Amino acid sequence: MTLRSHYLASTLFVLTATAAATLPAEAQGVLTTHRLSAALASEAVSEAVAACAKQGYKVVATIVDIDGVPQAMLRGDVAAMTGMEASRDKAYTALMLGAPRNEATSGAVAQRMGATPSPGGLAKLHHILLTPGAIVIRADGEAIAAIGVGGAPGGDLDEACAKAGVDKISDRLK
């Protein structure tokens, strides 16, 4: 290697390293994600269950994080076990199928899919439940979680309780 080519290679390395250092972390391979804290998740599921209990509904509320993993779940007094799976699956559906399309609820996803969705794609996906009862939780417009409720005598009632849970923490989602 000649002195000139060595100098050019060193200069190119320094320029590349300098340019990379001035890029945002995401451009360098580090991703910044936002998540709901355990405290806020706990508050939201508690409020959702309490809102339904005030109306005489025995429900389960579940929050799934941005990866679709359950973060918080509360089974109200004598709520049916089926509500556990239903609440999780509604939240998962809202987050995974609704959030990318800016749909705020599992009800909106169900409406878009129609009464008889194509069996080709959704028939084999686990945790998809095309029923109202879940709301995507957003912080500054970014989907960070979803809350689902199961057990009230209708998905619209479940969804109203999920909304109560989100409303309880909404002022802190900044």
Side-chain angles (χ1 to χ4, degrees), residues 46-59 76-77 152 157 161 164-165 168:
S46 293
E47 182 64 25
V49 168
C52 269
K54 287 177 189 170
Q55 300 174 61
Y57 310 138
K58 297 160 179 57
V59 301
D77 295 338
L157 302 171
C161 295
K168 174 77 173 181

Side-chain angles (χ1 to χ4, degrees), residues 16-29:
T16 303
T18 303
T22 61
L23 293 173
E26 289 84 1
Q28 296 180 42

Side-chain angles (χ1 to χ4, degrees), residues 27-47:
Q28 296 180 42
V30 177
L31 302 176
T32 302
T33 61
H34 298 96
R35 297 194 177 258
L36 196 60
S37 71
L40 286 183
S42 178
E43 255 187 83
V45 293
S46 293
E47 182 64 25

Side-chain angles (χ1 to χ4, degrees), residues 64-137:
V64 297
D65 68 14
I66 193 61
D67 297 318
V69 177
Q71 179 179 11
M73 178 185 284
L74 181 62
R75 181 178 172 216
D77 295 338
V78 298
M81 280 184 53
T82 56
M84 295 170 74
E85 190 171 340
S87 65
R88 180 200 63 218
D89 291 354
K90 289 177 185 184
Y92 183 88
T93 299
L95 190 60
M96 296 300 162
L97 298 182
R101 293 174 168 258
N102 286 323
E103 294 169 329
T105 67
S106 60
V109 174
Q111 186 176 18
R112 174 173 47 89
M113 294 294 193
T116 54
S118 166
L122 294 179
K124 293 186 179 194
L125 292 178
H126 295 285
H127 306 300
I128 299 298
L129 185 58
L130 296 174
T131 306
I135 296 178
V136 175
I137 300 172

